[in-house]
């Protein structure tokens, strides 16, 4: 078992290391296989040091958010922290509990920088992931960029925002953040090539397939539960295609439950998700807890409680924070600040002359296990010694 586990973990590292670099590497190192139109230019060195504009004006940033989702403010915070670490700005401590819009307004009012400006009215969102409002928001962004031309870079937060900026052809440099699968969502062409000169997105190739394979190796389930919004976007968030691919390879069954999330209040999305977990839990051998708008840092504890009561092993797609809240296991996350630094370095390199397409998109995740021992005891799962030895984060409570 230990040998098999180590092989899986090593394959995770090797697969993500091809063409990838640590977030703090001083220069992008493209994959040898990345035969993109910008491959030659990608060999250039683009520093992350402070870069004033030649005309003396500040670089003006805009923000496009897919909807209200807890990961988006969290990601914006660490991007800001990364820009501070690189010396591009300073800002007082951002108050807790703010939405993405509120953080953006705080930055517009309080950020201090000789080179950056967070433009207060350059903020867009189509409501609660409301597909019907997306065309109007795209048009508003397009009109702003064409008529005023006063935005130098847009942070597109989430899958919908990334898709919409790609649909517009990324008329200004665009950094897509906090998206589950930028390739599967057709935001970028591939892990090695965004397909548009002004577009960049963090990509984690085969991330979810490896998670499910690892979970199956530790808990050899025959039926896997999956809760997701059965829409194109919801299936992307939950990596449904990746899970189904592994199900065919390993010959297990996927039992899904449709928990509507888009275009409805947050509370309703959460109720739908929890109802689905209650429905699925008694019918499966294990559950893959995926990204869903209804699963928040607060409600994930309710999901864990439902799965504990059903004595069903669970694996978190999102990471060890959910293991801390009671999900059985996941891959341990690197300090989230490194994700923010990856985005911040990308922004800095763009302002130092790089085209977004020239920069490496691949992010290396840590190949480490997170395990909740209290949950293991409650559901009757006795982790083998080799799993405990391989676990880098072990939680006792919740």
């Amino acid at each position: 078992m230990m040998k098999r586990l180590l092989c899986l973990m090593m394959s995770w590292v090797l697969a993500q290391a091809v063409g990838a670099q640590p977030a703090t590497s001083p220069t992008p190192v493209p994959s040898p296989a990345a035969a993109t139109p910008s491959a030659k230019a990608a060999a250039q060195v683009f520093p992350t040091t402070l870069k004033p504009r030649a005309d003396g004006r500040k670089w003006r940033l805009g923000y496009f958010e897919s909807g209200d989702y807890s990961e988006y403010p969290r990601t914006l915070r660490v991007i800001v922290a990364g820009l501070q670490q690189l010396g591009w700005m300073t800002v007082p401590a951002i108050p807790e509990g703010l939405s993405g819009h509120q953080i953006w307004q705080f930055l517009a009012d309080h950020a201090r920088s000789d080179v950056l400006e967070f433009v207060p009215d350059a903020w867009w969102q189509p409501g609660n992931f409301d597909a019907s409002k997306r065309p109007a928001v795209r048009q508003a962004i397009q009109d702003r960029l064409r008529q005023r031309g006063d935005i130098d870079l847009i942070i597109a937060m989430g899958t919908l925002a990334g898709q919409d900026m790609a649909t517009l052809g990324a008329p200004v440099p665009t950094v897509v953040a906090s998206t589950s699968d930028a390739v599967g969502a057709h935001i970028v062409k591939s892990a090695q090539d965004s397909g548009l000169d002004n577009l960049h997105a963090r990509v984690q190739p085969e991330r979810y397939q490896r998670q499910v394979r690892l979970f199956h190796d530790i808990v050899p389930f025959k039926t896997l539960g999956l809760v997701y919004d059965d829409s194109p976007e919801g299936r992307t968030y939950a990596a449904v295609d990746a899970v189904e691919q592994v199900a065919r390879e390993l010959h297990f069954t996927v039992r899904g439950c449709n928990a509507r999330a888009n275009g409805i209040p947050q509370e309703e999305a959460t109720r739908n998700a929890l109802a689905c977990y209650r429905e699925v839990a008694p019918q499966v051998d294990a559950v893959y807890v995926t990204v869903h708008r209804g699963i928040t840092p607060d409600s994930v504890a309710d999901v864990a409680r439902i799965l504990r009561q059903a004595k069903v092993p669970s694996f978190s797609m999102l990471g060890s924070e959910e293991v801390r809240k009671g999900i059985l296991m996941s891959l341990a996350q690197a300090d989230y600040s490194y994700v923010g630094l990856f985005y911040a370095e990308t922004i800095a390199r763009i302002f130092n002359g790089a085209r977004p397409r020239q920069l490496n998109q691949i992010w290396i995740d840590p190949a480490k296990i997170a395990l909740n021992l209290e949950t293991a005891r409650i559901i009757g799962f006795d982790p083998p010694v080799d799993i405990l030895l391989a676990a880098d984060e072990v939680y006792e409570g919740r």
Side-chain angles (χ1 to χ4, degrees):
M1 173 79 176
M2 186 61 173
K3 182 177 180 181
R4 168 65 175 160
L5 180 63
L6 290 173
C7 287
L8 278 169
M9 303 299 278
M10 184 59 68
S11 70
W12 176 283
V13 174
L14 292 175
Q16 300 211 59
V18 174
Q21 65 186 40
T24 53
S25 174
T27 179
V29 183
S31 165
T36 71
S38 302
K40 184 176 180 180
Q44 300 178 37
V45 174
F46 296 107
T48 62
T49 50
L50 195 69
K51 176 71 173 181
R53 289 176 60 115
D55 58 11
R57 296 192 297 113
K58 293 183 179 182
W59 303 102
R60 289 168 60 87
L61 278 66
Y63 182 73
F64 181 14
E65 186 176 69
S66 299
D68 296 322
Y69 178 51
S70 59
E71 278 298 297
Y72 299 160
R74 181 186 185 196
T75 303
L76 181 56
R77 285 173 182 273
V78 294
I79 292 174
V80 169
L83 289 169
Q84 289 191 88
Q85 183 176 337
L86 295 175
W88 283 72
M89 60 174 288
T90 60
V91 67
I94 302 172
E96 295 298 324
L98 299 186
S99 68
H101 191 196
Q102 290 169 330
I103 291 176
W104 193 256
Q105 294 303 313
F106 183 88
L107 294 171
D109 292 338
H110 299 287
R112 298 290 176 263
S113 173
D114 293 331
V115 293
L116 292 182
E117 181 179 355
F118 296 85
V119 182
D121 65 345
W123 179 91
W124 299 274
Q125 189 206 80
N128 286 322
F129 298 86
D130 191 337
S132 68
K133 295 180 180 179
R134 291 173 67 187
V137 174
R138 284 197 302 267
Q139 189 63 51
I141 294 173
Q142 187 174 63
D143 291 346
R144 171 70 175 262
L145 298 178
R146 282 180 176 176
Q147 295 168 14
R148 297 170 60 177
D150 65 335
I151 303 301
D152 299 302
L153 182 143
I154 289 178
I155 298 171
M157 192 67 74
T159 296
L160 300 187
Q163 289 174 331
D164 286 345
M165 288 304 297
T167 298
L168 290 175
V172 298
T174 300
V175 175
V176 182
S178 196
T179 180
S180 297
D181 183 357
V183 178
H186 305 293
I187 296 170
V188 296
K189 180 180 177 181
S190 68
Q192 291 79 20
D193 180 15
S194 72
L196 293 170
D197 282 350
N198 270 336
L199 190 65
H200 181 281
R202 182 173 67 116
V203 178
Q204 299 163 282
E206 290 278 308
R207 170 181 171 82
Y208 305 116
Q209 288 92 331
R210 289 185 179 83
Q211 285 188 353
V212 176
R213 291 185 190 114
L214 180 64
F215 188 28
H216 187 269
D217 195 67
I218 297 171
V219 181
F221 47 82
K222 295 183 178 179
T223 305
L224 180 68
L226 201 64
V227 172
Y228 57 96
D229 181 332
D230 194 12
S231 64
E233 297 82 15
R235 292 176 65 88
T236 299
Y237 300 151
V240 174
D241 290 347
V243 174
E244 291 178 343
Q245 174 194 330
V246 179
R248 291 190 294 270
E249 292 174 4
L250 300 181
H251 308 293
F252 62 80
T253 300
V254 177
R255 185 175 295 278
C257 184
N258 179 18
R260 186 185 166 204
N262 291 344
I264 58 176
Q266 174 71 58
E267 296 78 9
E268 187 176 349
T270 294
R271 285 196 298 271
N272 292 344
L274 294 179
C276 264
Y277 279 104
R278 292 188 187 96
E279 177 183 328
V280 164
Q283 306 176 36
V284 298
D285 304 319
V287 170
Y288 187 40
V289 179
T290 62
V291 170
H292 185 281
R293 183 165 160 256
I295 305 305
T296 67
D298 293 326
S299 65
V300 70
D302 296 322
V303 173
R305 190 156 40 249
I306 291 167
L307 300 178
R308 279 177 165 185
Q309 290 173 353
K311 299 192 180 302
V312 176
S314 53
F315 191 106
S316 166
M317 167 191 279
L318 195 58
S320 52
E321 278 303 310
E322 294 192 338
V323 177
R324 187 192 302 271
K325 297 290 182 69
I327 301 301
L328 176 63
M329 67 178 70
S330 185
L331 287 175
Q333 289 177 315
D335 185 331
Y336 212 65
S337 65
Y338 290 109
V339 177
L341 187 59
F342 180 83
Y343 291 127
E345 288 182 334
T346 299
I347 293 170
R349 289 189 173 110
I350 291 168
F351 290 149
N352 272 283
R355 283 286 191 181
R357 189 178 187 178
Q358 292 174 256
L359 300 176
N360 178 44
Q361 299 186 122
I362 298 175
W363 166 258
I364 303 172
D365 240 3
K368 302 175 180 180
I369 290 176
L371 180 67
N372 190 304
L373 287 181
E374 177 68 15
T375 297
R377 283 192 287 268
I378 289 172
I379 69 173
F381 173 70
D382 186 15
V385 174
D386 48 11
I387 298 298
L388 292 173
L389 291 174
D392 290 83
E393 296 181 22
V394 177
Y395 301 102
E396 290 282 355
R398 202 75 184 199

